């Protein structure tokens, strides 16, 4: 079988990327001719190498910003070979980039949608029929305007894919003659572009911290340049609330709470904190079992979106609120949680408070330590503002001593004391039996090279190869612990060591990502590294990884991954948006679900790039609920003779993940689960 040379393939990639253009919903376009051109053959691709080349073409399209073309390419590959799992993985990545995942939760939020619909209906009934929908997304608010009698509706959005989606939605609802779409940010519009000033502005350009998507700047511009002097803005105003909280789950991803770590690694009095360049984080705190509010709840801030002076004062920072928060119970203060009540009008309110099911998460301001001086304090004093359109919280409760910022992945890894203890115990126990006392070269690709640094510090290793992502912290640790920096080599990926002449006594790989998916590159190259770079008496860790699963039903998974709201089906939004739903939900902690089977081992992860599949038939618990997810976790064997450690633990640095699908009804309470793996990628489904 003839394959063109790599250089020729790269040249073809470049030339095709420049000219290929796939209009949205153009189902007639056929990639086969392009594939034939790339492969220099007329028959369909069949070899693994063929599909590698085609998948690389899709990746090249993605990197060049041609996301819709990349999506079509991966879909065509999977039509030809449904078991080429690398393209499934890449397809999900492209869908995530094309359509933000929050769209699904928002469209599934029945209460949020109903209050918007009611408020818009009331405004139009009062004579405000000329409407501007800012940040239209799928066009839902414009549809509400049209169905309630709006007769001159303009909708704008900067994202081309959302404009294309909204255009299809309007056509299917027969409103394409009533609603005009503009592919621009609203602050780039003039009143001439929209046929004169409007009576009503509707928008939902707000994040969990209200102001993060620039709603103040957007509405100030709209009120000054696009809205009639007596025009109305929906939402009308917003009110924010604040409380102090305790949550070990949040703390374990933000500060080092593993006190034994500093017993081994000297840090010169520094405390480790997670690096964060964002003003706040967001969490769905209803899903965190150990989240507790430990203070009274106080009103924190209010902004009137129909008052130009109020919005300008909020934006320039001259409006700020000093809040006194009283403790209600003992505990450790890990930060402050904020949420909002969004008043569409006086009678229609949407909220994001922790106790309700909302499309919005809560805003989290984390402390850089666990504040434990509450027996000395009865009140906390904080100041809330939104200068420059960003929600800000200032206070005096952060640690003011020496800190060292590291990635969140490193913090979570260091705080997983059960895993670190297991890794250390099994490794050093195994080394006693091999009688290896000194290592020439060590590869440790853990988020932080815990074993590798220990061996260097004890003068039991000459050279350590580790991830360049940990460069700053590892260099700091080396300086603090009298480790010669020249003995540490930073590389981008473990396969980079294939290019060096050194052989290794010890190789530690991270075969599972913190998000819960396998590391496909390291899985696929495990056997190559073991065969070509490990000494005959060397050790490679982990020795084995098992995949364990349980069948579940979860309405929550449905609502975050696809459109399930019947109203959206009636409006023809479901059929369009669900084309962008993904099949693998990652980074799951606790969430609402019903277990329909006991956990069972589905497969051993194959530590190579070969194709492998396995079927398991099992009896499930009698229930009238359909299966819509395969929740999975791992059991990791550090060495051949060690007992495994499970990632299904509280505070595991590796989270759980779930393959999702449409509701699957079992016959006679029996189910058949299929596991497929190739190129280091795994996939589970029901048959």
């Amino acid at each position: 079988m003839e394959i063109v040379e790599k250089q020729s393939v790269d040249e073809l990639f470049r030339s095709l990327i420049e000219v290929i253009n796939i209009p949205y919903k153009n189902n007639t376009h056929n990639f086969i001719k392009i594939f034939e051109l790339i492969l220099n053959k007329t028959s369909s691709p069949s070899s693994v190498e063929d599909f590698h080349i085609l998948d690389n073409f899709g990746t090249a399209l993605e990197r060049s910003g041609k996301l819709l073309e990349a999506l079509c390419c991966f879909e065509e590959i999977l039509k030809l070979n449904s078991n080429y799992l690398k393209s499934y993985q890449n397809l999900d990545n492209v869908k995530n980039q094309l359509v933000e995942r929050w769209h699904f939760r928002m469209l599934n939020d029945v209460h949020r949608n109903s209050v918007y619909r009611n408020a818009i209906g009331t405004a139009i009934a009062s004579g405000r029929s000329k409407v501007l929908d800012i940040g239209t997304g799928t066009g839902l608010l414009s549809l509400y305007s049209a169905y309630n009698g709006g007769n001159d509706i303009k909708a704008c959005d900067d994202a081309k894919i959302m404009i294309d989606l909204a255009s299809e939605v309007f056509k299917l609802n027969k409103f394409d003659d009533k609603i005009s779409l503009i592919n621009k940010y609203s602050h780039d519009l003039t009143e001439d572009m929209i046929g004169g000033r409007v009576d009503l502005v509707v928008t939902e350009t707000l994040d969990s911290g209200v102001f993060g998507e620039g709603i103040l700047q957007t509405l100030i511009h709209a009120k000054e340049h696009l809205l009639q002097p007596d025009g109305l803005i929906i939402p009308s105003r917003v009110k924010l609330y604040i409380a102090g909280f305790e949550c070990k789950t949040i703390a374990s991803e933000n500060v080092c709470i593993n006190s034994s770590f500093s017993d081994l690694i000297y840090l010169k009095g520094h405390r480790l904190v997670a690096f964060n360049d964002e003003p706040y984080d967001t969490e769905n705190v209803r899903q965190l079992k150990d989240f507790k509010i430990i203070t009274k709840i106080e009103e924190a801030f209010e902004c009137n979106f129909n008052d130009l002076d109020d919005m300008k004062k909020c934006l320039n920072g001259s409006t700020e609120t000093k809040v006194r928060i009283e403790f209600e119970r003992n505990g450790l203060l890990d930060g402050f949680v904020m949420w909002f009540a969004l008043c569409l009008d006086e009678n229609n309110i949407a909220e994001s408070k922790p106790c309700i099911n909302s499309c919005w998460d809560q805003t989290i301001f984390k402390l850089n330590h666990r504040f434990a001086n509450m027996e000395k304090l009865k009140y906390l004093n904080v100041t809330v503002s939104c200068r420059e359109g960003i929600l800000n919280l200032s206070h005096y409760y952060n640690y003011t001593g020496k800190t060292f910022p590291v990635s969140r992945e490193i913090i979570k890894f260091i705080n997983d004391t059960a895993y670190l203890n297991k890794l250390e115990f099994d490794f050093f126990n195994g080394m006693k039996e091999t009688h290896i006392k000194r290592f020439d070269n060590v590869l440790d690709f853990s988020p932080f090279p815990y074993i590798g640094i220990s061996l260097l510090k004890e003068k039991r290793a000459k050279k350590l190869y580790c991830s360049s992502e940990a460069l700053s912290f590892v260099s700091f640790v080396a300086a603090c612990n009298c480790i010669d920096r020249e003995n540490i080599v930073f590389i981008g990926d473990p396969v980079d060591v294939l290019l060096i002449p050194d052989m290794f006594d010890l190789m530690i790989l991270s075969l599972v990502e913190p998000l819960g998916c396998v590391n496909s590159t390291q899985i696929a190259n495990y056997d190559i590294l073991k065969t070509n770079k490990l000494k005959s008496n060397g050790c490679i860790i982990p020795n084995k990884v098992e995949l364990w699963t349980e069948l579940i039903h979860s309405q929550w998974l449905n609502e975050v991954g696809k459109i399930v709201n019947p109203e959206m089906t009636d409006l023809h939004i479901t059929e369009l948006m669900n084309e962008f739903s993904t099949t693998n939900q990652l980074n799951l902690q606790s969430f609402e679900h019903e277990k329909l089977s006991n956990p069972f081992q589905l497969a051993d992860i194959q530590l190579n790039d070969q194709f492998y599949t396995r079927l398991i038939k099992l009896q499930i618990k009698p229930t009238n609920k359909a299966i819509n997810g395969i929740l999975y976790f791992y059991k990791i064997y550090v060495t051949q003779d060690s007992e495994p450690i499970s990632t299904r633990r509280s505070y595991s640095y590796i989270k759980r993940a779930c393959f999702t699908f449409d509701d699957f009804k079992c016959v006679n309470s029996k189910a058949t689960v299929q596991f497929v793996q190739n190129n280091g990628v795994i996939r589970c489904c029901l048959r």
Side-chain angles (χ1 to χ4, degrees):
M1 182 176 297
E2 184 180 0
I3 304 293
V4 294
E5 294 296 323
K6 185 179 188 302
Q7 184 177 2
S8 301
V9 169
D10 288 344
E11 290 171 356
L12 270 173
F13 280 8
R14 285 192 292 271
S15 61
L16 286 169
I17 286 170
E18 290 176 6
V19 299
I20 189 171
N21 184 26
I22 309 298
Y24 174 72
K25 297 296 290 180
N26 184 353
N27 296 322
T28 63
H29 189 90
N30 196 334
F31 263 84
I32 299 301
K33 290 182 180 179
I34 295 174
F35 291 172
E36 290 173 353
L37 181 61
I38 292 172
L39 298 174
N40 195 25
K41 59 192 285 189
T42 56
S43 59
S44 295
S46 56
S47 71
V48 172
E49 183 63 26
D50 284 351
F51 288 105
H52 282 342
I53 293 173
L54 300 182
D55 187 80
N56 287 340
F57 177 57
T59 302
L61 287 167
E62 178 188 355
R63 288 175 179 166
S64 69
K66 298 211 168 192
L67 299 178
L68 204 54
E69 290 81 0
L71 181 143
C72 292
C73 181
F74 295 131
E75 286 181 337
E76 289 295 331
I77 292 170
L78 292 169
K79 287 178 185 176
L80 296 168
N81 184 355
S82 62
N83 283 323
Y84 190 76
L85 303 188
K86 201 172 179 184
S87 287
Y88 271 114
Q89 189 179 61
N90 288 329
L91 181 62
D92 275 2
N93 290 338
V94 170
K95 287 179 178 179
N96 283 328
Q97 293 178 68
L98 277 167
V99 177
E100 297 278 4
R101 298 298 96 184
W102 52 259
H103 280 286
F104 294 93
R105 288 177 64 187
M106 183 182 72
L107 292 167
N108 283 323
D109 190 334
V110 174
H111 176 72
R112 172 256 180 208
N113 297 339
S114 68
V115 293
Y116 259 101
R117 182 176 61 246
N118 295 340
I120 290 170
T122 299
I124 292 175
S126 70
R128 305 175 189 278
S129 61
K130 189 173 183 180
V131 183
L132 173 62
D133 176 7
I134 296 177
T136 191
T138 57
L140 180 63
L141 302 189
S142 289
L143 284 183
Y144 287 159
S145 301
Y147 275 113
N148 279 286
N151 55 29
D152 184 359
I153 304 166
K154 302 293 190 298
C156 68
D157 203 297
D158 179 67
K160 179 64 166 61
I161 185 64
M162 301 315 297
I163 287 289
D164 291 338
L165 275 166
S167 177
E168 290 290 323
V169 169
F170 298 155
K171 286 177 185 176
L172 291 170
N173 285 274
K174 300 183 174 20
F175 285 131
D176 47 317
D177 61 338
K178 185 178 283 192
I179 307 172
S180 301
L181 280 162
I182 307 169
N183 191 189
K184 288 180 180 292
Y185 286 116
S186 66
H187 55 64
D188 292 327
L189 298 179
T190 64
E191 61 178 282
D192 291 339
M193 292 179 184
I194 59 173
R197 293 188 176 229
V198 299
D199 306 312
L200 176 63
V201 167
V202 297
T203 189
E204 205 260 41
T205 51
L206 64 152
D207 67 347
S208 296
V210 180
F211 308 104
E213 291 187 24
I215 193 170
L216 282 178
Q217 297 91 322
T218 294
L219 294 182
I220 288 171
H221 175 270
K223 197 159 181 64
E224 290 182 329
H225 301 285
L226 307 174
L227 186 65
Q228 294 279 7
D230 60 347
L232 181 68
I233 292 173
I234 295 176
S236 172
R237 57 190 173 87
V238 68
K239 183 179 289 187
L240 291 103
Y241 299 85
I242 188 169
F245 72 87
E246 177 182 3
C247 182
K248 186 179 177 182
T249 297
I250 290 177
S252 67
E253 298 183 357
N254 186 57
V255 297
C256 180
I257 59 177
N258 179 2
S259 58
S260 63
F261 180 77
S262 57
D263 294 339
L264 173 69
I265 306 296
Y266 179 51
L267 298 174
K268 287 190 175 179
H270 288 74
R271 295 189 182 187
L272 299 182
V273 297
F275 173 79
N276 192 358
D277 57 359
E278 298 293 334
Y280 50 79
D281 289 293
T282 61
E283 293 280 357
N284 184 354
V285 301
R286 287 180 71 240
Q287 306 295 343
L288 302 177
K289 292 181 178 179
D290 60 354
F291 183 90
K292 294 184 294 187
I293 289 178
I294 59 175
T295 70
K296 289 185 176 179
I297 296 167
E298 300 291 345
E299 292 185 11
F301 196 80
E302 188 170 359
C303 182
N304 186 340
F305 295 135
N306 280 286
D307 186 325
L308 184 60
D309 289 338
D310 193 24
M311 287 194 289
K312 286 185 174 181
K313 288 177 182 178
C314 290
L315 185 63
N316 66 29
S318 59
T319 298
E320 60 180 26
T321 307
K322 297 185 184 301
V323 186
R324 198 180 196 202
I325 309 171
E326 184 179 355
F327 281 110
E328 281 195 317
R329 66 173 81 173
N330 293 328
L332 297 173
L333 182 72
D334 290 312
F336 298 90
V337 56
M338 294 184 70
W339 61 91
F340 60 82
L342 188 69
C343 301
L344 288 307
D345 59 20
E346 291 305 313
N347 299 312
N348 292 283
I349 299 173
E351 297 181 275
S352 65
K353 59 185 177 182
C355 59
I356 66 172
N357 187 15
S358 163
C359 65
W360 295 289
D361 290 340
Q362 289 71 47
T363 305
I364 302 292
F365 290 91
K366 302 175 182 176
L367 298 186
N368 66 358
H369 68 137
R370 307 197 79 186
F371 186 75
N373 294 331
M374 285 169 291
E375 67 277 5
K376 300 178 183 178
L377 287 175
K378 186 176 180 181
Y379 296 97
L380 296 166
N381 295 300
V382 302
T383 302
V384 183
S385 66
C386 61
R387 181 184 294 275
E388 298 180 355
I390 300 295
L391 184 62
N392 178 66
L393 181 71
S394 58
H395 56 79
Y396 302 99
Y397 308 107
N398 271 327
Y399 174 69
T400 56
K402 295 185 292 184
T403 61
F404 193 91
V406 298
S407 72
R408 192 166 294 182
E409 287 68 29
I410 289 177
I411 285 287
K412 290 191 288 188
F413 179 76
I414 289 173
N415 283 332
D416 191 346
T417 54
Y419 184 81
L420 286 188
N421 291 341
K422 181 71 173 172
L423 180 65
E424 186 176 18
F425 179 83
D426 287 353
F427 167 71
F428 284 107
N429 251 16
M431 289 303 101
K432 289 177 184 176
E433 297 182 10
T434 64
H435 305 293
I436 299 177
K437 294 184 178 179
R438 186 169 174 79
F439 302 81
D440 289 326
N441 297 302
V442 172
L443 173 71
D444 189 344
F445 233 72
S446 304
F448 172 74
Y450 183 71
I451 296 297
I453 287 291
S454 300
L455 293 172
L456 281 180
K457 187 176 179 181
E458 295 170 6
K459 310 297 183 185
R460 294 181 60 185
K462 290 183 179 179
K463 186 178 289 188
L464 167 65
Y465 289 77
C466 61
S467 172
S468 55
E469 292 185 6
L471 188 152
S472 176
F473 182 47
V474 171
S475 298
F476 173 74
V477 167
C480 291
N481 292 270
C482 301
I483 296 172
D484 190 343
R485 173 65 175 73
E486 296 299 316
N487 294 333
I488 304 174
V489 180
F490 296 95
I491 56 177
D493 194 274
V495 296
D496 293 347
V497 301
L498 293 170
L499 304 176
I500 64 172
D502 292 341
M503 297 293 286
F504 290 82
D505 303 285
L506 171 64
M507 306 181 86
I508 301 175
L509 302 178
S510 288
L511 301 184
V512 183
E513 301 275 14
L515 293 177
C517 57
V518 295
N519 185 317
S520 57
T521 302
Q522 292 192 33
I523 293 283
N525 289 287
Y526 183 98
D527 198 46
I528 296 171
L529 290 167
K530 181 178 180 180
T531 302
N532 294 283
K533 302 306 297 181
L534 190 67
K535 291 181 181 178
S536 58
N537 64 338
C539 176
I540 186 166
I541 293 173
N543 177 262
K544 185 171 78 167
V545 179
E546 295 174 349
L547 181 71
W548 283 69
T549 57
E550 53 189 321
L551 306 182
I552 65 168
H553 174 83
S554 172
Q555 182 63 22
W556 181 84
L557 276 178
N558 274 340
E559 292 175 359
V560 300
K562 61 184 177 182
I563 307 300
V564 293
N565 182 354
E567 182 194 14
M568 299 303 115
T569 302
D570 296 339
L571 296 175
H572 302 284
I573 292 176
T574 299
E575 60 198 80
L576 298 170
M577 279 293 290
N578 280 354
E579 291 184 16
F580 297 92
S581 63
T582 55
T583 57
N584 198 3
Q585 297 290 333
L586 303 175
N587 201 31
L588 299 175
Q589 301 189 90
S590 56
F591 66 98
E592 298 161 4
H593 67 277
E594 180 179 334
K595 299 176 183 179
L596 303 183
S597 76
N598 293 321
F600 60 95
Q601 183 185 352
L602 181 55
D604 288 342
I605 301 295
Q606 303 300 295
L607 303 181
N608 54 50
D609 63 352
Q610 301 302 304
F611 176 82
Y612 174 73
T613 186
R614 186 169 190 243
L615 290 175
I616 293 281
K617 296 182 179 181
L618 68 154
Q619 192 82 20
I620 71 166
K621 298 175 181 178
T623 179
N624 59 357
K625 295 287 181 68
I627 303 169
N628 68 349
I630 301 176
L631 189 63
Y632 62 98
F633 61 97
Y634 306 88
K635 290 189 177 181
I636 300 173
Y637 293 76
V638 175
T639 64
Q640 184 174 356
D641 300 321
S642 64
E643 292 297 316
I645 184 167
S646 171
T647 62
R648 189 177 180 249
R649 293 176 287 110
S650 298
Y651 315 115
S652 168
Y653 88 96
I654 297 170
K655 302 307 179 189
R656 290 183 293 171
C658 188
F659 288 103
T660 60
F661 37 82
D662 292 334
D663 285 358
F664 187 97
K665 285 283 189 180
C666 294
V667 178
N668 298 324
S669 298
K670 293 181 180 179
T672 300
V673 186
Q674 182 180 29
F675 169 82
V676 181
Q677 176 183 339
N678 70 17
N679 298 295
V681 184
I682 65 171
R683 187 173 174 82
C684 304
C685 61
L686 289 181
R687 292 185 56 180

